[in-house]
């Protein structure tokens, strides 16, 4: 849809794009084509799309022959999508809040799926964090995100953006910004810059038990950024275990969480049990 077609469509449907729902629709056909070409969905492959909106990305995913599952919260757009892709065998729509969906039930507990989407920015980190709770998180995630969020997720140790989610994401995925995206390719244009980001699952990504231990540790360690990590960990772990782990990993007693690398966090989670 061009900008004019989209404005006409929204008028006909009586839809006033919601800021809260991050309804910034893509109107650049070349960018949409490139986005899908880059992610390269394959015939028969399970693909999850969050927030199909008007269906511009959805249509391209369906045309690739992939088996597309889309989750849309807005009932007016969900009705439109249902109507547009009625009788399309390789498509299903779930009208739900993507933050609450049970993805293991939806995609299958061991499903090897990928996610390709233009995410609603306000909840993008919640959705990605939900993926990390799965027994088998998506093998790859190709998403449009707020650039600031992308920077946070790929922040280096010591950076002010380095946080508990950064640690969990980087333990699981290699994060790469494939392209920065100008606000003008959306209608209405968002007030922030965007990026097309690829998350590629690491060959040595932790299993669910290690991932869960890492999540709990990272959350506790970053719960008060300015505080020495050890003082925070004391509330959960015995002193002797902390002594041993700190010594084995060469972590100074007064270290704060932001100075601990992802691999140190992983080892620490293992050693503390
Ligand atoms: N895919 C379309 C495109 O690229 O033009 C729309 C993308 S728009 C950035 C985000 C979409 O996510 C909107 O359709 C919005 O209604 C939907 N959405 C917002 N919050 C949601 C949520 N919590 N769960 C599912 N969909 C949501």
């Amino acid at each position: 849809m061009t900008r004019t077609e989209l404005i006409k469509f929204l008028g006909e449907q009586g839809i006033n794009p919601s800021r809260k729902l991050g309804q910034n629709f893509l109107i650049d056909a070349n960018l949409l084509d490139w986005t899908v070409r880059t992610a390269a969905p394959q015939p028969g492959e399970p693909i999850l799309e969050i927030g199909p909106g008007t269906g511009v990305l959805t249509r391209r995913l369906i045309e690739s022959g992939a088996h597309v599952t889309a989750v849309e919260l807005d009932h007016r757009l969900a009705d439109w999508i249902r109507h547009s892709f009625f009788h399309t065998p390789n498509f299903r729509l779930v009208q739900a809040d993507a933050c609450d969906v049970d993805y293991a039930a939806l995609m299958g507990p061991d499903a090897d799926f990928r996610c390709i989407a233009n995410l609603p920015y306000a909840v993008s980190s919640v959705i990605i964090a939900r993926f990390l709770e799965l027994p088998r998180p998506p093998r790859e995630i190709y998403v449009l995100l707020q650039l600031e969020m992308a920077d946070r997720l790929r922040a280096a140790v010591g950076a002010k953006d380095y946080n508990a989610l950064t640690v969990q994401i980087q333990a699981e995925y290699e994060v790469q910004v494939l392209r920065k995206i100008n606000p003008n390719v959306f209608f209405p244009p968002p007030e922030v810059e965007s990026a097309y980001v690829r998350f590629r699952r690491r060959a040595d990504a932790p299993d669910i038990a290690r991932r869960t231990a890492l999540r709990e540790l990272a959350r506790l360690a970053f719960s008060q950024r300015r505080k020495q990590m050890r003082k925070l960990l004391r509330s959960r772990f015995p002193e002797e275990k902390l002594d041993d782990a700190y010594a084995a990993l060469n972590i100074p007693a007064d270290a704060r969480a932001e100075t601990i690398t992802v691999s140190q966090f992983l080892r620490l989670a293992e050693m503390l049990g």
Side-chain angles (χ1 to χ4, degrees):
M1 279 188 202
T2 61
R3 185 174 185 278
T4 313
E5 287 165 347
L6 177 64
I7 291 172
K8 183 164 173 278
F9 165 82
L10 294 172
E12 283 166 359
Q13 302 292 322
I15 296 174
N16 194 12
S18 154
R19 256 176 99 136
K20 195 168 147 234
L21 293 183
Q23 290 179 338
N24 304 100
F25 302 101
L26 277 169
I27 50 170
D28 184 321
N30 290 331
L31 177 75
L32 276 157
D33 289 342
W34 174 81
T35 313
V36 175
R37 214 167 43 242
T38 304
Q42 298 299 305
E45 176 190 4
I47 295 287
L48 173 68
E49 183 192 6
I50 307 289
T54 61
V56 285
L57 180 58
T58 320
R59 182 171 300 285
R60 286 165 170 82
L61 295 173
I62 290 171
E63 282 168 2
S64 75
H67 283 191
V68 181
T69 301
V71 180
E72 174 60 60
L73 179 59
D74 186 320
H75 70 92
R76 298 158 306 176
L77 291 170
D79 286 348
W80 164 256
I81 291 286
R82 250 188 230 110
H83 167 80
S84 306
F85 301 113
F86 191 58
H87 282 330
T88 303
N90 58 332
F91 177 73
R92 60 180 171 155
L93 177 81
V94 178
Q95 190 194 328
D97 184 337
C99 302
D100 297 336
V101 167
D102 178 347
Y103 291 102
L106 185 64
M107 304 302 288
D110 286 320
D112 182 19
F113 71 98
R114 299 194 295 152
C115 173
I116 305 174
N118 174 14
L119 288 181
Y121 291 173
V123 289
S124 56
S125 62
V126 180
I127 293 168
I128 293 173
R130 288 294 319 281
F131 289 160
L132 292 177
E133 291 168 12
L134 288 172
R136 188 169 179 176
R139 179 165 43 86
E140 285 186 331
I141 307 173
Y142 282 83
V143 277
L144 280 116
L145 284 179
Q146 188 174 343
L147 178 60
E148 202 181 299
M149 170 62 64
D151 285 339
R152 211 169 295 153
L153 297 182
R154 63 183 180 145
V157 62
K160 77 170 174 15
D161 280 350
Y162 186 73
N163 65 20
L165 185 57
T166 314
V167 170
Q168 294 169 71
I169 286 284
Q170 292 187 12
E172 193 73 20
Y173 292 107
E174 277 164 26
V175 185
Q176 191 179 354
V177 169
L178 300 175
R179 185 161 164 179
K180 294 189 182 169
I181 310 276
N182 191 291
N184 295 334
V185 301
F186 302 93
F187 181 83
E191 281 159 13
V192 293
E193 267 197 280
S194 305
Y196 191 44
V197 186
R198 181 182 68 201
F199 300 77
R200 185 169 270 173
R201 198 150 184 245
R202 295 179 184 280
D204 60 351
D207 61 17
I208 187 157
R210 287 177 71 211
R211 218 182 310 125
T212 306
L214 177 68
R215 179 172 60 243
E216 285 170 10
L217 175 67
R219 283 184 181 166
L220 179 59
F222 280 97
S223 58
Q224 295 177 58
R225 279 188 86 89
R226 310 301 306 161
K227 208 163 171 172
Q228 290 177 11
M229 182 171 74
R230 191 166 168 138
K231 290 188 178 155
L232 298 165
L233 299 190
R234 260 186 209 139
S235 66
R236 178 92 52 91
F237 304 103
E239 288 288 351
E240 317 82 71
K241 270 199 167 187
L242 288 171
D243 284 342
D244 292 349
Y246 267 59
L249 298 173
N250 277 327
I251 301 175
D254 62 352
R256 293 200 303 251
E258 68 205 30
T259 66
I260 309 298
T261 65
V262 174
S263 52
Q264 281 177 318
F265 263 116
L266 273 165
R267 290 278 294 118
L268 199 53
E270 253 166 47
M271 296 186 74
L272 295 176

